Amino acid sequence: DGERMSFELDYTAYLRAKVAIDDEALNKRVYGSFISHLEALSVLKSGPLRILEVAGGIGTMIVRICRDCPSLLEKKVCYDLVDVKKSNLRSATEYLRENIVKEGENLTIFDYLDSADGGKEQFGSSIDSHYVSSRGDGYISCVLGDLQVNLICSDGLEHASQNRIYDAVISAAFLDLVDIDSAVTDLTSAMCESSLMYLPINFDGVTHFEPDVPECTEEGFANVVEERFHRAMGSTSGYSRSQTGRKLMRSFAQTEEVSLDSFGSSSWTVFPYKGTALAKSPTPYLPKPYGRKSSLT
């Protein structure tokens, strides 16, 4: 009858559901290079290691890093996860508790997400107040031994541009939603010469759906969905057909401030097979590193 169906997306459930897909999609060589550099940096640096993740969602990346870089937990680490959705940050506390807390350990939580002043006047002795956002809608700080994860409700790019310097800057599956040039400027402003940047899973304008249902429309149902999806991605990224992946590589290749250490494909590939969603990892590619600072996309 032409009526449109609508539904409300449980976004935190969506983020949990795609963890396995992201694990397979992450370019293994690029991710491995990032983990190796991060391990080396944690050994070389005498003070606390400071990491920023922009649009960090429910904390899947910090869990992944703790799993694959266990030496990181042997020193003091301050991890600022910034996201605009309070619901994501609330879910992150549970996700962290479920995935990084071992038997006999305690995760101490300082919750100022809904406090009137955003927690600015309530820092405990174990809270690294220097790296908690001075703007935004509060934060939750989770402390596990020497690991402190600040879940900050704020605009991540704005936070990155506020004259804070981090040892590593991360943003996954986000830069295809914003203007690349201004985002790269904000992210690099939070880096020093020894800092790392890891920017995985960027949409690059190629999508394919199967099976098609040609009888639904003359053009074919999958083609219509694909075209509308590309159009939506283009409207958010500012390009008629979003090609964030290749534009991001060009952006770093043309700057002398940041060196491109490695890059490669990171495709979300899901195929339904006998009631199971199979994911397939892409073949990675590693170019020669050049330049000064390190960026991994």
Side-chain angles (χ1 to χ4, degrees):
D1 56 4
E3 292 185 4
R4 291 186 177 182
M5 298 179 63
S6 62
F7 67 95
E8 184 175 344
L9 174 66
D10 185 339
Y11 196 71
T12 58
Y14 160 73
L15 293 178
R16 279 180 174 263
K18 75 182 186 76
V19 171
I21 299 173
D22 284 345
D23 281 340
E24 288 296 326
L26 288 173
N27 188 289
K28 300 303 184 290
R29 188 174 293 180
V30 176
Y31 176 67
S33 179
F34 170 67
I35 292 297
S36 296
H37 282 300
L38 195 60
E39 286 181 326
L41 191 59
S42 67
V43 172
L44 292 173
K45 187 172 181 182
S46 57
L49 197 66
R50 304 188 187 279
I51 302 173
L52 169 66
E53 183 177 3
V54 171
I58 61 172
T60 57
M61 185 60 75
I62 176 60
V63 168
R64 192 177 286 114
I65 292 172
C66 288
R67 178 195 68 201
D68 298 328
C69 188
S71 62
L72 203 65
L73 299 178
E74 298 174 4
K75 70 172 301 170
K76 186 172 178 59
V77 176
C78 179
Y79 193 106
D80 280 1
L81 185 158
V82 187
D83 200 283
V84 295
K85 292 181 179 289
K86 286 187 178 183
S87 56
N88 287 348
L89 303 180
R90 292 282 184 211
S91 296
T93 60
E94 294 306 313
Y95 193 78
L96 291 174
R97 195 190 303 276
E98 293 169 10
N99 290 280
I100 68 171
V101 180
K102 299 178 181 177
E103 186 175 353
E105 296 179 335
N106 291 314
L107 183 69
T108 304
I109 297 176
F110 300 82
D111 188 344
Y112 305 122
L113 193 59
D114 294 316
S115 61
D117 66 348
K120 299 179 183 63
E121 303 298 330
Q122 305 178 59
F123 297 121
S125 59
S126 63
I127 299 299
D128 187 342
S129 61
H130 179 68
Y131 278 80
V132 171
S133 182
S134 60
R135 305 169 72 176
D137 298 317
Y139 71 98
I140 303 172
S141 192
C142 304
V143 180
L144 179 66
D146 287 331
L147 171 66
Q148 178 185 320
V149 181
N150 295 317
L151 307 172
I152 303 168
C153 187
S154 187
D155 181 282
L157 295 176
E158 182 179 331
H159 180 91
S161 66
Q162 291 178 4
N163 299 316
R164 294 176 173 84
I165 300 300
Y166 289 89
D167 299 298
V169 177
I170 303 168
S171 186
F174 173 67
L175 294 184
D176 47 25
L177 302 176
V178 296
D179 180 76
I180 298 175
D181 295 332
S182 61
V184 168
T185 298
D186 289 337
L187 294 176
T188 54
S189 69
M191 300 172 66
C192 63
E193 287 196 7
S194 62
S195 298
L196 300 170
M197 182 183 288
Y198 181 49
L199 308 172
I201 309 182
N202 298 285
F203 183 67
D204 200 43
V206 179
T207 310
H208 183 68
F209 295 96
E210 283 191 3
D212 197 4
V213 188
E215 60 270 18
C216 290
T217 63
E218 292 183 2
E219 300 89 350
F221 178 74
N223 291 336
V224 171
V225 173
E226 179 182 335
E227 177 58 34
R228 291 184 180 179
F229 177 68
H230 286 162
R231 192 188 315 152
M233 291 299 294
S235 65
T236 56
S237 65
Y239 300 102
S240 59
R241 183 180 178 91
S242 178
Q243 296 177 332
T244 303
R246 69 196 74 178
K247 291 178 184 295
L248 191 59
M249 289 188 290
R250 281 193 221 118
S251 178
F252 285 118
Q254 294 169 359
T255 179
E256 295 182 358
E257 295 182 359
V258 179
S259 69
L260 187 60
D261 181 89
S262 58
F263 67 88
S265 59
S266 318
S267 301
W268 276 343
T269 306
V270 182
F271 186 79
Y273 180 71
K274 295 184 178 180
T276 302
L278 301 180
K280 173 71 174 175
S281 295
T283 302
Y285 169 71
L286 180 68
K288 293 182 179 179
Y290 59 91
R292 296 194 293 120
K293 294 182 185 178
S294 294
S295 170
L296 305 101
T297 62

